[in-house]
Amino acid sequence: MLNKIMLIGNLGRDPELQVTSDGTPFTRFSLAVSRNYKTSSGEKREETEWFNVVAWRQLAETCERYLHKGSKVYIEGRVTQRKYTDKNGLERTSVDVNASDMEILTPKSASSGTEAYSAASAGDNNDPFLPDYPEDLP
């Protein structure tokens, strides 16, 4: 059996780090994934799907530290469903992407969190979550 999803999109909000009752860190954020297509009449259209993403443990801490609203990322994980009761007492089902891997695709210069990137890369040039750029870029 296989349950795997791969997404490239932009964060809809900043990740918020939380901790379970047993001390396990996790973060949640939304991811907008768009696709462009042409209709039969030749009109260009864009369609956007929104995904709820959950990251756990070290990946959760990394997401919270380096990702910001608008960041372009690659997320890999599995699809999960959970049932809950809303404030009106109705039973609802939520579909989430349980992230197992994340890669930042936003260039350093375009990121609103450039200070976090430079602070992280100053001591460790082998961070697997940061893209490789030549040293001579402005």
Side-chain angles (χ1 to χ4, degrees), residues 16-123:
E16 297 177 20
L17 188 67
Q18 299 176 323
V19 180
T20 64
S21 58
D22 69 351
T24 305
F26 72 98
T27 188
R28 293 183 183 275
F29 55 91
S30 58
L31 188 70
V33 178
S34 300
R35 74 178 186 101
N36 296 310
Y37 63 95
K38 286 186 182 180
T39 64
S40 57
S41 63
E43 182 183 352
K44 291 182 181 179
R45 293 263 174 102
E46 182 179 42
E47 182 178 90
T48 302
E49 297 280 343
W50 286 90
F51 294 86
N52 296 317
V53 179
V54 181
W56 294 89
R57 298 175 185 77
Q58 182 64 41
L59 183 57
E61 294 171 352
T62 301
C63 288
E64 193 271 336
R65 183 172 181 186
Y66 294 110
L67 299 182
H68 306 283
K69 180 179 178 177
S71 295
K72 187 173 188 176
V73 296
Y74 165 80
I75 298 289
E76 186 173 311
R78 61 186 173 86
V79 177
T80 60
Q81 292 184 28
R82 60 185 168 87
K83 292 186 185 289
Y84 67 96
T85 304
D86 70 10
K87 62 183 177 184
N88 298 324
L90 298 172
E91 189 171 290
R92 303 277 186 178
T93 301
S94 176
V95 177
D96 297 326
V97 174
N98 198 332
S100 59
D101 191 18
M102 180 275 297
E103 290 185 37
I104 299 170
L105 302 177
T106 301
K108 288 182 191 179
S109 60
S111 171
S112 61
T114 53
E115 65 283 343
Y117 287 110
S118 58
S121 61

Side-chain angles (χ1 to χ4, degrees), residues 62 65-66 104 116-117 120-121 124-132:
T62 301
R65 183 172 181 186
Y66 294 110
I104 299 170
Y117 287 110
S121 61
D124 180 13
N125 291 332
N126 296 322
D127 191 330
F129 296 107
L130 297 177
D132 295 325

